[in-house]
Coordinates of all heavy atoms in Angstrom, one line a residue:
N30 N -14.5 -6.2 -17.6 CA -13.6 -5.6 -16.7 C -13.4 -6.7 -15.6 O -14.3 -7.0 -14.9 CB -14.1 -4.3 -16.1 CG -13.1 -3.6 -15.3 OD1 -11.9 -4.2 -15.2 ND2 -13.4 -2.5 -14.7
L31 N -12.2 -7.1 -15.4 CA -11.9 -8.1 -14.4 C -11.3 -7.5 -13.1 O -11.0 -8.2 -12.2 CB -10.8 -9.1 -14.9 CG -11.3 -9.9 -16.1 CD1 -10.2 -10.8 -16.6 CD2 -12.5 -10.7 -15.7
E32 N -11.2 -6.2 -13.0 CA -10.7 -5.5 -11.9 C -11.8 -5.5 -10.8 O -13.0 -5.4 -11.0 CB -10.3 -4.0 -12.2 CG -9.2 -3.9 -13.1 CD -7.9 -4.3 -12.5 OE1 -7.7 -4.0 -11.3 OE2 -7.1 -4.9 -13.1
P33 N -11.4 -5.6 -9.5 CA -12.4 -5.5 -8.4 C -13.0 -4.1 -8.4 O -12.4 -3.1 -8.7 CB -11.6 -5.8 -7.1 CG -10.2 -5.6 -7.5 CD -10.1 -5.8 -9.0
S34 N -14.3 -4.1 -8.1 CA -15.0 -2.8 -8.1 C -14.9 -2.0 -6.9 O -15.1 -0.8 -6.8 CB -16.5 -3.1 -8.4 OG -17.0 -3.9 -7.3
G35 N -14.4 -2.6 -5.8 CA -14.2 -1.9 -4.5 C -12.9 -1.1 -4.5 O -12.2 -0.9 -5.5
P36 N -12.6 -0.5 -3.3 CA -11.4 0.3 -3.3 C -10.2 -0.6 -3.5 O -10.2 -1.7 -3.1 CB -11.5 0.9 -1.8 CG -12.4 0.0 -1.1 CD -13.3 -0.5 -2.1
K37 N -9.1 0.1 -4.0 CA -7.9 -0.7 -4.3 C -7.3 -1.1 -3.0 O -7.2 -0.4 -2.0 CB -7.0 0.3 -5.0 CG -7.4 0.6 -6.4 CD -6.5 0.3 -7.4 CE -7.0 0.7 -8.7 NZ -6.5 -0.1 -9.8
Q38 N -6.9 -2.4 -2.9 CA -6.2 -2.9 -1.8 C -4.7 -2.6 -1.9 O -4.1 -2.9 -2.9 CB -6.4 -4.4 -1.7 CG -7.8 -4.9 -1.6 CD -8.3 -4.5 -0.2 OE1 -7.6 -4.5 0.7 NE2 -9.6 -4.1 -0.1
S39 N -4.1 -2.0 -0.8 CA -2.7 -1.8 -0.9 C -2.0 -3.0 -0.3 O -2.5 -3.9 0.3 CB -2.4 -0.5 0.0 OG -2.7 -0.8 1.3
N40 N -0.7 -3.0 -0.5 CA 0.2 -4.1 0.0 C 0.2 -4.0 1.4 O 0.6 -3.0 2.0 CB 1.5 -3.9 -0.7 CG 2.4 -5.1 -0.4 OD1 2.1 -6.0 0.3 ND2 3.6 -5.1 -1.1
P41 N -0.1 -5.0 2.2 CA 0.0 -5.0 3.7 C 1.4 -4.7 4.2 O 1.5 -4.3 5.3 CB -0.5 -6.3 4.1 CG -0.6 -7.2 2.9 CD -0.6 -6.3 1.7
Q42 N 2.4 -5.0 3.4 CA 3.8 -4.7 3.8 C 4.1 -3.2 4.0 O 4.9 -2.8 4.8 CB 4.7 -5.2 2.7 CG 5.5 -6.4 3.1 CD 6.4 -6.8 1.9 OE1 6.4 -6.2 0.8 NE2 7.1 -7.9 2.1
N43 N 3.4 -2.4 3.2 CA 3.7 -1.0 3.1 C 2.7 -0.1 3.9 O 2.8 1.1 3.8 CB 3.7 -0.5 1.7 CG 4.8 -1.2 0.9 OD1 5.9 -1.5 1.4 ND2 4.6 -1.4 -0.4
I44 N 1.8 -0.6 4.6 CA 0.8 0.2 5.4 C 1.5 0.9 6.5 O 2.1 0.2 7.3 CB -0.4 -0.7 5.9 CG1 -1.2 -1.2 4.7 CG2 -1.2 0.1 6.8 CD1 -2.2 -2.2 5.0
G45 N 1.4 2.2 6.5 CA 2.1 2.9 7.5 C 3.6 3.0 7.5 O 4.2 3.2 8.5
A46 N 4.2 2.6 6.4 CA 5.6 2.5 6.3 C 6.3 3.7 5.6 O 7.3 3.6 5.1 CB 6.0 1.2 5.6
T47 N 5.6 4.8 5.6 CA 6.2 6.0 4.9 C 7.3 6.6 5.7 O 8.3 7.1 5.2 CB 5.2 7.0 4.5 OG1 4.5 7.4 5.6 CG2 4.2 6.4 3.5
W48 N 7.1 6.8 7.0 CA 8.1 7.5 7.8 C 9.3 6.7 8.0 O 10.4 7.3 8.0 CB 7.5 8.1 9.1 CG 7.3 7.1 10.2 CD1 6.0 6.4 10.4 CD2 8.1 6.6 11.1 NE1 6.2 5.6 11.4 CE2 7.4 5.6 11.9 CE3 9.4 6.8 11.5 CZ2 8.0 4.9 12.9 CZ3 10.0 6.1 12.5 CH2 9.3 5.2 13.2
P49 N 9.3 5.4 8.3 CA 10.5 4.6 8.4 C 11.3 4.7 7.1 O 12.6 4.8 7.0 CB 10.2 3.3 8.7 CG 8.8 3.4 9.3 CD 8.2 4.5 8.6
R50 N 10.6 4.6 5.9 CA 11.3 4.7 4.6 C 12.0 6.0 4.4 O 13.1 6.0 4.0 CB 10.2 4.4 3.5 CG 10.7 4.5 2.1 CD 9.7 4.3 1.1 NE 10.3 4.3 -0.2 CZ 10.2 5.3 -1.0 NH1 9.7 6.5 -0.6 NH2 10.8 5.3 -2.2
S51 N 11.3 7.0 4.7 CA 11.9 8.4 4.5 C 13.0 8.6 5.4 O 14.0 9.1 5.0 CB 10.8 9.5 4.8 OG 9.7 9.3 3.9
L52 N 12.9 8.1 6.6 CA 14.0 8.3 7.6 C 15.2 7.4 7.2 O 16.4 7.9 7.3 CB 13.5 8.0 9.0 CG 14.3 8.4 10.1 CD1 14.4 10.0 10.1 CD2 13.7 8.0 11.4
A53 N 15.0 6.2 6.7 CA 16.0 5.3 6.3 C 16.8 6.0 5.0 O 18.0 5.9 5.0 CB 15.5 4.0 5.9

């Protein structure tokens, strides 16, 4: 298995970007 064993890293572009996306 070549996947990292830690928590999945999210894209830093999308961190906390749910409300502007929904509003747009």
